[in-house]
Amino acid sequence: MPVDNYRTSDCESSALNVTAQASVDASCLAAGSTGSMLAHDVVDMDSELLYWRGQYRVLVDRPGLRYSDYEPAVKLGLDAYMRSHGRGLREMEDDLIRCYKRVRGVSKLDWDEARPMVEAAWHRLEQRDRLRPRRSHHA
């Protein structure tokens, strides 16, 4: 599945050459958030999805499942982190459950199986942000 529809806008994507949000229904996680959509630096979704394509079986390995079954949970975790605006993963769990039901499509993972993927994708970005030097906001 192409990730072109995961860009924040054509202008931002072209200028930054990265993607910033997953295509989780905007109404899913936007409730309760304030300020800019981007709580953190932008994320290269192509790179993240490529990483998870090679790692998805580490957390939930059920026979008969393919990456396409895991991908909605990965995208939800990435999107949730980007939209968290300082909220914690546990704080957002009710919203995540509702969102997953809306975006899982034909995935064979139920929420209990998807949760570790959502958490892992979230924590990977969280770790990346902790290790990344902070940029100065001086003009």
Side-chain angles (χ1 to χ4, degrees), residues 55-72:
Q55 300 294 319
Y56 71 95
R57 287 195 172 122
V58 172
L59 296 172
V60 179
D61 188 13
R62 206 173 88 198
L65 296 182
R66 298 167 50 185
Y67 175 71
S68 59
D69 291 308
Y70 295 85
E71 191 174 62

Side-chain angles (χ1 to χ4, degrees), residues 47-126:
S47 176
E48 286 300 313
L49 294 175
L50 184 62
Y51 171 82
W52 286 109
R53 188 176 300 275
Q55 300 294 319
Y56 71 95
R57 287 195 172 122
V58 172
L59 296 172
V60 179
D61 188 13
R62 206 173 88 198
L65 296 182
R66 298 167 50 185
Y67 175 71
S68 59
D69 291 308
Y70 295 85
E71 191 174 62
V74 169
K75 289 178 180 177
L76 180 61
L78 297 171
D79 188 65
Y81 181 76
M82 295 301 293
R83 294 172 184 260
S84 65
H85 302 285
R87 294 183 293 164
L89 187 58
R90 296 287 171 236
E91 195 177 341
M92 296 175 67
E93 185 151 0
D94 290 340
D95 291 334
L96 292 172
I97 292 168
R98 280 191 297 276
C99 284
Y100 185 70
K101 288 178 182 177
R102 291 174 60 184
V103 301
R104 77 184 267 193
V106 296
S107 171
K108 296 174 187 170
L109 294 179
D110 63 23
W111 172 249
D112 289 331
E113 293 171 308
R115 177 187 284 126
M117 296 303 298
V118 170
E119 291 173 350
W122 170 292
H123 291 304
R124 178 173 156 82
L125 292 182
E126 183 177 55

Side-chain angles (χ1 to χ4, degrees), residues 10-24:
D10 290 337
C11 180
E12 282 180 303
S13 296
S14 297
L16 299 173
N17 196 25
V18 292
T19 55
Q21 73 182 54
S23 74
V24 174

